[in-house]
Amino acid sequence: MASNSDTIYHVLSYIKAHPAKATIRPDKYDNVVEMYLDDDVKLGNPEIYFPSQRLEVNRMAPDFVSMNSDLLDYFHDKTAVKDSSYHDLWITTSHLANRNKYLIDLSFE
């Protein structure tokens, strides 16, 4: 399981800074937000963090969640859950090569 929080941080920061470059939508689950980014965007280590046609699931370390609360709150606000009492963050990523998209799925627990 990959766990380089720098790569995840940079991807999330890019999406926040360039929301028009991503499709961001709430998922069918209240605590999840699903995002799609065109695969021509340059990302660090896409072969590790965005495997082609496979899911990569990471539970982010508590330090990552606490150190990046402002950034994560931005995405949490896009879920159907309106209280911000999450403690865990699961991130699922993939390269959907057939759609020319990167998938970034955030699950707030």
Side-chain angles (χ1 to χ4, degrees), residues 11-13 15-16 24 33 35 70-79 106 108:
V11 170
L12 295 178
S13 294
I15 292 171
K16 182 180 178 187
I24 304 171
V33 64
M35 298 172 279
D70 289 343
L71 177 62
L72 298 176
D73 287 350
Y74 170 82
F75 293 103
H76 185 265
D77 288 346
K78 300 190 179 306
T79 70
L106 307 179
F108 296 89

Side-chain angles (χ1 to χ4, degrees), residues 5-101:
S5 60
D6 290 343
T7 298
I8 299 300
Y9 172 82
H10 289 297
V11 170
L12 295 178
S13 294
Y14 178 85
I15 292 171
K16 182 180 178 187
H18 304 95
K21 298 275 187 179
T23 302
I24 304 171
R25 63 178 185 212
D27 195 69
K28 61 184 172 184
Y29 301 105
D30 289 348
N31 63 326
V32 175
V33 64
E34 186 177 88
M35 298 172 279
Y36 297 92
L37 191 60
D38 288 340
D39 67 1
D40 60 356
V41 173
K42 300 295 181 205
L43 302 177
N45 304 306
E47 68 285 351
I48 296 171
Y49 301 102
F50 295 88
S52 185
Q53 300 302 121
R54 288 188 8 249
L55 298 176
E56 178 70 36
V57 180
N58 285 287
R59 179 177 181 228
M60 300 311 291
D63 286 348
F64 179 86
V65 175
S66 64
M67 289 182 351
N68 298 294
S69 61
D70 289 343
L71 177 62
L72 298 176
D73 287 350
Y74 170 82
F75 293 103
H76 185 265
D77 288 346
K78 300 190 179 306
T79 70
V81 176
K82 295 307 166 201
D83 83 26
S84 61
S85 62
Y86 60 91
H87 302 288
D88 290 318
L89 174 65
W90 291 85
I91 299 182
T92 303
T93 55
S94 181
H95 179 209
L96 306 176
N98 59 330
R99 294 175 54 196
N100 298 320
K101 299 284 185 192

